[in-house]
Amino acid sequence: MLQNKEANAQGNQNSVINADESARKPRGKVASAMVTILAPFNMGFRLVRKYTNLTIWIIISMIIGILVGKFAPSFGVQIEPLGTLFIRMIQCVVGPLIFSTLVVGIAGHGDDLMRVGRLALKSIVYFEVVTTFALIIGLLAVNIAKPGLGFSGEGLKAPEASNKTITWADELFLIVPDSYFGAMSNPKAVLAVVFCAVMFSIAIMRADPQSKKVMLDFNAALSAIMFKVVELVMNYAPIGVGCAIAATVGKYGLSSLIAAGKLVGTLYATLIIFAVLIFLPIILMCRLPLRDFGRAVAQPFIMAFATASSESALPKAMENMVAFGCPPEIVAFVIPTGYSFNLDGSTLYLALAAIFCAQVAGISKSIGEQIVIMLTLMLSSKGVAAVPRASFIVLTSTLSNAEIPLYPLALIMGVDAFMDMARTSINVLGNMTACAVISRWEGEFRNDAWQAQQAGQPVDTLSMDVMEAQEYGHSSAHESRPLGGLHAEKASIRSVHSTAGGAGRSGSHSGDNIV
């Protein structure tokens, strides 16, 4: 009877196995059919990933966004929140990224406070010189092109001027926040984050070794993780950029460019001339690799142009400049500081817009009066990036001081969104150029740490030859040894080290044999 039960159980088990096999056969056929159907799509996806990159997709999304804004303007305006979402995702990364990177850069490279002061001084000098050139080129361009002539002021209404005035106290409070966490939670308070990071770094330098190590390790890990977060957010960039530019075109329309086309064309042409006459010679004089620099600035430049937001390009700009060869501590200091003090595109725009309003009003300004306007803009345009509509406030106050009517601003406001795209992208380009130039100025561009990272080696091995050559030069003054003997000793020493390292990894018996 027991044998019958076992036979019945075995029969039931066999029937279950046969049923499973019969169920699997159709599934196998379906799966193979799906694989066959999806094979062309899979191959196409692999080819797209191989021969395209994020920059190409952003450019494609910009073209699609312009078409959507042109032919479906209402839909373009409705999808604006998708573009704003991308900017908000970037803004939530800015504070922790700048803080952690700058702390590691300053406190993690010794206790030399003089280096921090020297870096700040060089940055301010560079910013002032380049922005002065931007003002001069803007004034020259608007006097040569005269985009304001031919406009009639009839029917133009002066926009409501803000009662807010920018004072030195406002600019001071933008630098010194009332809370560390409040500064990092405010995406516009970039300069305040830099101030907090510098103060925190100096405190770490004065702390005991254990506390210093803990905080440096924490900030180094935070910086690495925040760059990974940036990589995740950048996957959404084509969608966000396309929706942002679709909303801009849908809201203002390309027809507005025709009405004030001379003004917009003058600004775009002047910004290009400024980049060619100022940025390009600086890059060549500093012997920066032009092709690599172009690749580094491409994505941040396009994102800043499409979104008209400097914050959207900040994390990617920092990441690309570190990969380009600039030390992280210089990147984390120069680029955020430049967002307040090195607004080349905005400065050029203010000079051009001020004289444009005078031309529309039929007011002729002498060279001396234009120089006064330039000096006023030079002082008032610094450190106001965190003030909402800062450019409009500065321009309004400058026109009032120069006794120029405000009603021509109505013409500018109609196309300001398109001009904002151009000046924002030049701001980002100028700050990335400043970062590379100051890195070269400091003698830290593509230093041993960067070369070691590119070669996948420890930093010490790259400077080994230099140190050994110095030691040999010092010792050769006391004794005569042939150079070949030095290289032979170096080769034998490195051979022993490499053999020991390989044996140590292979097992204990090999290590005992070497010893």
Side-chain angles (χ1 to χ4, degrees):
M1 187 172 183
L2 182 61
Q3 292 177 353
N4 292 333
K5 287 183 178 179
E6 290 178 353
N8 291 333
Q10 186 175 3
N12 292 334
Q13 185 176 1
N14 292 335
S15 62
V16 170
I17 292 173
N18 292 333
D20 290 342
E21 289 179 353
S22 61
R24 281 196 199 104
K25 287 180 181 178
R27 289 182 199 167
K29 291 179 181 179
V30 172
S32 60
M34 290 296 295
V35 170
T36 304
I37 294 172
L38 296 176
F41 297 98
N42 189 22
M43 184 178 296
F45 179 73
R46 289 181 179 178
L47 291 174
V48 167
R49 289 192 62 184
K50 183 177 180 181
Y51 294 104
T52 61
N53 53 30
L54 183 63
T55 305
I56 295 176
W57 283 113
I58 291 175
I59 294 174
I60 293 173
S61 69
M62 286 178 59
I63 297 172
I64 295 174
I66 292 173
L67 295 176
V68 170
K70 171 65 176 175
F71 297 104
S74 59
F75 178 72
V77 174
Q78 290 176 359
I79 62 176
E80 183 179 9
L82 297 178
T84 306
L85 182 65
F86 171 65
I87 298 176
R88 291 175 68 91
M89 286 193 294
I90 289 291
Q91 287 176 338
C92 72
V93 179
V94 168
L97 178 64
I98 295 175
F99 184 86
S100 58
T101 307
L102 192 54
V103 167
V104 174
I106 295 177
H109 291 76
D111 299 334
D112 187 8
L113 293 178
M114 292 294 294
R115 183 171 182 266
V116 180
R118 186 176 66 249
L119 180 63
L121 179 61
K122 289 181 178 180
S123 301
I124 296 300
V125 170
Y126 177 87
F127 296 161
E128 287 298 327
V129 171
V130 176
T131 51
T132 301
F133 278 119
L135 286 170
I136 293 172
I137 291 178
L139 289 176
L140 290 175
V142 74
N143 281 282
I144 294 172
K146 299 187 186 302
L149 297 183
F151 281 101
S152 175
E154 296 180 2
L156 291 179
K157 213 173 170 184
E160 294 182 3
S162 175
N163 294 327
K164 180 177 178 60
T165 58
I166 301 176
T167 64
W168 68 271
D170 293 330
E171 297 188 13
L172 185 64
F173 294 153
L174 290 175
I175 299 174
V176 183
D178 54 1
S179 168
Y180 270 40
F181 296 101
M184 282 193 283
S185 64
N186 183 4
K188 295 290 186 181
V190 175
L191 202 59
V193 175
V194 173
F195 173 81
C196 293
V198 171
M199 294 292 291
F200 195 78
S201 301
I202 295 174
I204 288 178
M205 292 178 183
R206 296 174 174 269
D208 59 277
Q210 183 179 0
S211 300
K212 180 177 181 179
K213 182 179 183 304
V214 170
M215 294 311 301
L216 285 178
D217 290 343
F218 171 77
N219 280 280
L222 178 62
S223 176
I225 291 173
M226 295 313 295
F227 275 116
K228 294 298 181 183
V229 174
V230 172
E231 292 180 7
L232 294 176
V233 173
M234 290 307 299
N235 293 322
Y236 183 74
I239 298 175
V241 166
C243 294
I245 200 166
T248 302
V249 176
K251 188 181 298 183
Y252 297 100
L254 295 177
S255 59
S256 61
L257 295 176
I258 300 175
K262 196 172 181 182
L263 171 62
V264 178
T266 301
L267 177 65
Y268 274 68
T270 307
L271 290 173
I272 294 173
I273 292 171
F274 173 75
V276 172
L277 294 182
I278 303 299
F279 290 154
L280 184 58
I282 290 175
I283 291 171
L284 295 178
M285 284 190 295
C286 293
R287 300 189 307 278
L288 300 174
L290 190 58
R291 181 177 298 179
D292 292 347
F293 182 76
R295 291 173 181 170
V297 303
Q299 288 184 16
F301 183 88
I302 294 173
M303 284 192 295
F305 180 83
T307 61
S309 171
S310 299
E311 288 82 8
S312 66
L314 176 58
K316 193 63 179 176
M318 294 177 62
E319 180 183 355
N320 285 8
M321 293 312 294
V322 171
F324 177 59
C326 301
E329 63 270 20
I330 293 180
V331 172
F333 184 85
V334 173
I335 292 184
T337 307
Y339 268 52
S340 291
F341 292 101
N342 189 38
L343 304 174
D344 301 325
S346 298
T347 304
L348 189 150
Y349 158 78
L350 288 172
L352 191 147
I355 305 303
F356 169 81
C357 291
Q359 292 174 353
V360 172
I363 299 174
S364 178
K365 291 292 182 180
S366 64
I367 296 178
E369 290 174 323
Q370 293 189 31
I371 291 176
V372 172
I373 292 175
M374 184 184 74
L375 295 175
T376 304
L377 291 173
M378 188 183 302
L379 296 175
S380 59
S381 62
K382 295 291 185 295
V384 294
V387 179
R389 302 182 70 191
S391 297
F392 184 76
I393 296 173
V394 171
L395 183 58
T396 302
S397 61
T398 303
L399 294 178
S400 300
N401 293 334
E403 298 182 352
I404 299 174
L406 298 181
Y407 67 83
L409 289 175
L411 290 170
I412 294 178
M413 293 182 67
V415 292
D416 187 65
F418 297 100
M419 293 192 293
D420 193 19
M421 296 163 64
R423 63 179 183 253
T424 302
S425 57
I426 292 297
N427 289 341
V428 172
L429 176 61
N431 286 317
M432 297 182 75
T433 304
C435 181
V437 169
I438 294 173
S439 298
R440 175 70 79 182
W441 195 356
E442 282 282 292
E444 295 290 333
F445 179 69
R446 295 192 171 180
N447 54 16
D448 289 345
W450 183 86
Q451 294 179 21
Q453 186 179 9
Q454 297 299 308
Q457 300 175 359
V459 180
D460 296 339
T461 60
L462 290 173
S463 56
M464 186 180 296
D465 290 335
V466 177
M467 291 188 296
E468 288 173 346
Q470 292 175 350
E471 292 174 1
Y472 173 75
H474 178 72
S475 62
S476 62
H478 302 281
E479 58 178 301
S480 58
R481 284 195 300 177
L483 190 59
L486 176 67
H487 288 302
E489 291 177 11
K490 287 166 60 179
S492 63
I493 291 171
R494 292 184 183 177
S495 176
V496 170
H497 280 301
S498 62
T499 306
R505 288 188 297 269
S506 62
S508 59
H509 295 289
S510 300
D512 293 338
N513 292 334
I514 291 174
V515 174

